Amino acid sequence: MRPLHARTTYNTPSHPQHRTHNPSPHTLTNLPEPPIPPLSEPATHQASRLAIHQQTPLPASHEHWRRGVEAAVIYAREHGDLKVPFTFRVPTVDNQEAEGEGWPASLAGFPLGQWTADARRFYARGDMDEDRIVQLEKLGMIWSHFDVAWEEGLSAARGWAAEHGHLLAPLDATFQGAAVGIWLKNARAAARKAQENEQRRAEGLPVESSAGALSDTRRDQLEEIDASWCPSWPVTWQRSFHLVRMHLDAGEALPTEAGDVLRQGEDLGRWVQSVRLGWDQLTGVQQWMCEQVLGITPATEDEKPKSRRTQADKWSANLVAARQFFEREGHLQVPRKHVETVLSQDGREDQYRLGAWVNNQRSRAAALSSERMEQLSKVGLRWT
């Protein structure tokens, strides 16, 4: 079961000076703060240093802050950060074991997770003094877990791009255990939502919510890594385009046959073929990119595969063969194994098993349309 974390604000200002400062009684701005012991100092020495400030009685809320800082120091030393689960409390053990694990008995049961969540809430409202902010930031305080998750994903994306030369990762791509492909997929969805919101604003339409939309700052961070990270067309197409360009930049020839060149799991020759044959399905921008950057041209009519004939096309072609037989022989009493040769418009000789076809039409007379029956009757087909 995942531990609960303190609620955080997605877009919190990075400095309290950007917020309206409304001190609350909880901040106790006029009272001195206890110093933060170094992270490498043993807990017993930390407790001794902090004990100096206990000689003078402190208000309850200020004492709570002091205990929180002391617990945060120990937690940061043990874990390297202040990503404290919301339900975390200082372990309750006997004095000797507590000292051995770094937790003094005086902090047993202290709700550090709740304390950290409260600190984030005061920070987000602008109700925290500058010195307290400095204290926590020295310990590695995380003001927003959303921001942390973004930075971790961005770091992994940079690492993946450094290895592969682009940021067009497939969905299953990972970097040092981080699911970069999925992270980028979510980032693209957020970027598209932001773009849709901007379009609605430009058209004077209301925007229901900006939640989940990618900020300009984060989009800029990704574009600094790869300007083509979020194309308007499928990512798979853009990835193959980029890999072909890298192939050409290396001084290699344009691959034109399937299986010629494989890069990062992509068959570049097959992709080039699909681009040439599907040229009319590309956008104008894609056509320009392929022609001007890669030197790819659309396939000629001779290079395009012949389209598969429909059943209606086949029936009409056999009718032409039947008409040719009738005009030559004067009847349509075709031997069952007879094959009729018809010269097509482009000079090709097409052969039709006319005898079998005529017999099939006669046996299927009840299923034929009246139009087809009339056409067959005109070329001499006897139904009985």
Side-chain angles (χ1 to χ4, degrees):
M1 191 173 193
R2 296 181 58 188
L4 295 173
H5 291 276
R7 172 176 292 182
T8 54
T9 304
Y10 192 82
N11 291 316
T12 55
S14 58
H15 195 280
Q17 291 179 353
H18 298 290
R19 299 181 295 272
T20 303
H21 186 77
N22 297 314
S24 71
H26 298 289
T27 58
L28 298 172
T29 56
N30 296 324
L31 292 173
E33 301 293 349
I36 298 179
L39 297 183
S40 59
E41 186 178 3
T44 52
H45 293 178
Q46 296 171 10
S48 298
R49 289 164 57 88
L50 292 170
I52 297 174
H53 297 270
Q54 297 176 349
Q55 295 175 0
T56 302
L58 297 175
S61 58
H62 194 69
E63 172 66 13
H64 185 70
W65 171 264
R66 183 199 62 75
R67 295 184 71 209
V69 170
E70 184 180 358
V73 168
I74 300 172
Y75 188 95
R77 186 190 66 226
E78 295 295 326
H79 297 84
D81 55 47
L82 279 183
K83 298 178 183 178
V84 187
F86 184 76
T87 57
F88 178 83
R89 287 178 174 268
V90 174
T92 302
V93 291
D94 62 64
N95 291 351
Q96 290 183 348
E97 290 180 0
E99 292 288 348
E101 293 181 2
W103 293 106
S106 61
L107 291 177
F110 183 81
L112 182 59
Q114 177 67 61
W115 183 88
T116 307
D118 290 342
R120 290 194 185 97
R121 188 169 66 254
F122 292 142
Y123 174 87
R125 289 197 324 229
D127 289 343
M128 181 176 286
D129 278 357
E130 178 69 21
D131 53 355
R132 290 190 173 187
I133 294 173
V134 172
Q135 279 185 307
L136 292 179
E137 289 183 345
K138 285 181 179 179
L139 296 175
M141 179 61 171
I142 308 224
W143 296 116
S144 168
H145 284 298
F146 289 105
D147 292 341
V148 173
W150 172 262
E151 292 300 327
E152 290 176 348
L154 185 65
S155 177
R158 284 196 182 101
W160 194 94
E163 287 187 358
H164 296 82
H166 59 86
L167 202 54
L168 301 161
L171 192 59
D172 59 354
T174 61
F175 181 78
Q176 296 181 356
V180 174
I182 295 176
W183 185 84
L184 284 169
K185 174 180 176 290
N186 294 335
R188 291 187 187 99
R192 293 188 182 101
K193 181 169 185 179
Q195 188 175 21
E196 291 171 1
N197 287 348
E198 287 301 319
Q199 182 65 29
R200 291 183 65 85
R201 292 189 185 97
E203 296 173 357
L205 299 174
V207 175
E208 294 182 1
S209 173
S210 294
L214 194 68
S215 67
D216 291 342
T217 299
R218 291 184 172 180
R219 187 180 184 103
D220 290 343
Q221 288 176 321
L222 289 168
E223 290 185 350
E224 286 177 4
I225 303 173
D226 183 355
S228 64
W229 76 279
C230 186
S232 301
W233 38 82
V235 174
T236 53
W237 192 95
Q238 185 68 28
R239 180 167 60 248
S240 293
F241 171 88
H242 185 85
L243 294 174
V244 171
R245 185 176 64 181
M246 291 174 63
H247 182 74
L248 296 178
D249 289 344
E252 303 292 340
L254 180 70
T256 57
E257 298 294 333
D260 278 357
V261 180
L262 297 177
R263 290 287 185 274
Q264 298 181 20
E266 301 291 344
D267 188 334
L268 303 189
R270 186 181 299 278
W271 180 81
V272 171
Q273 283 184 338
S274 69
V275 166
R276 298 190 69 227
L277 295 174
W279 191 265
D280 293 339
Q281 280 70 53
L282 301 177
T283 66
V285 175
Q286 286 175 299
Q287 291 177 352
W288 185 92
M289 291 167 59
C290 290
E291 197 165 14
Q292 300 299 321
V293 179
L294 303 181
I296 298 176
T297 57
T300 63
E301 291 300 321
D302 291 340
E303 292 176 306
K304 294 179 180 180
K306 302 302 179 183
S307 58
R308 297 184 62 180
R309 293 191 303 174
T310 65
Q311 291 298 323
D313 293 335
K314 293 178 182 179
W315 196 93
S316 297
N318 276 282
L319 180 63
V320 171
R323 183 178 294 112
Q324 176 179 285
F325 184 94
F326 175 75
E327 291 174 353
R328 185 181 67 247
E329 304 294 338
H331 60 81
L332 202 58
Q333 298 175 9
V334 187
R336 187 173 184 81
K337 294 185 179 181
H338 176 73
V339 175
E340 186 75 9
T341 301
V342 177
L343 188 66
S344 65
Q345 292 181 350
D346 57 2
R348 185 181 65 253
E349 291 186 351
D350 296 330
Q351 293 186 329
Y352 299 92
R353 298 173 59 191
L354 186 59
W357 184 79
V358 169
N359 285 334
N360 287 339
Q361 302 310 303
R362 186 180 289 115
S363 63
R364 296 178 60 251
L368 292 174
S369 65
S370 58
E371 180 183 0
R372 286 189 173 183
M373 290 187 68
E374 182 181 356
Q375 288 174 316
L376 289 169
S377 296
K378 287 181 179 180
V379 296
L381 179 60
R382 293 183 179 180
W383 298 102
T384 57

